[in-house]
Amino acid sequence: MKINRKIGLFFVCKFLVIGMLFFIFTFVLENNNDLQKKIGIFTAYTATVSQTDSSPTITASNKKISEGMVANNCLPFGTKIKVNDKIFEIQDRMNVRHGCDRFDIYMHNYSDAIDFGIKKLKYELI
């Protein structure tokens, strides 16, 4: 009788430990994605001298400007971010007065950039 209780207690403890480990790993894996998600202030710009510099079609990374590029002062060139299910790539810089939480998305059309305005959005590093 004592042996059966010890075996039963052993299996109950083993089940509880395995259950706790499963819960911990599941919680850590679920929240790992949240660590990559941040909030930034997003604006939009077009390739004009008044909004950039004397060479508006060349980015700070020395690439020709195109849709999907974004400016940020802190993330390395080539870093990809996901915003509202769209992928953008850091290829340009902003004025030094803007900090690390500011992003400026390149748009071909000036009216689209104006309509975009200023938005506080969640983004994810990819």
Side-chain angles (χ1 to χ4, degrees):
M1 189 88 168
K2 287 184 179 181
I3 295 175
N4 287 341
R5 282 188 182 170
K6 286 183 181 179
I7 292 174
L9 185 59
F10 171 75
F11 283 113
V12 168
C13 289
K14 186 176 178 180
F15 176 76
L16 287 173
V17 168
I18 291 171
M20 291 295 285
L21 288 173
F22 177 76
F23 175 76
I24 290 169
F25 286 124
T26 303
F27 181 76
V28 168
L29 290 176
E30 274 183 17
N31 290 328
N32 191 26
N33 289 338
D34 291 339
L35 296 176
Q36 294 293 324
K37 292 182 181 175
K38 301 177 181 194
I39 295 178
I41 300 168
F42 287 79
T43 53
Y45 74 104
T46 58
T48 60
V49 173
S50 64
Q51 294 181 25
T52 59
D53 60 11
S54 60
S55 56
T57 59
I58 304 298
T59 66
S61 65
N62 206 28
K63 292 191 176 189
K64 186 167 174 57
I65 196 77
S66 65
E67 293 283 334
M69 290 186 172
V70 65
N72 178 268
N73 288 340
C74 298
L75 294 173
F77 293 137
T79 301
K80 293 185 180 181
I81 61 171
K82 186 176 186 180
V83 181
N84 293 338
D85 295 326
K86 293 182 183 176
I87 306 294
F88 296 95
E89 188 172 346
I90 307 296
Q91 289 296 338
D92 211 355
R93 296 293 186 223
M94 302 171 71
N95 188 294
V96 293
R97 72 177 177 265
H98 299 295
C100 293
D101 65 337
R102 293 288 302 254
F103 295 85
D104 210 8
I105 299 171
Y106 169 75
M107 293 188 178
H108 183 71
N109 190 326
Y110 179 76
S111 63
D112 290 343
I114 294 298
D115 290 343
F116 185 84
I118 300 172
K119 298 178 180 179
K120 195 179 260 192
L121 298 171
K122 287 183 182 180
Y123 69 94
E124 181 179 353
L125 296 173
I126 297 178

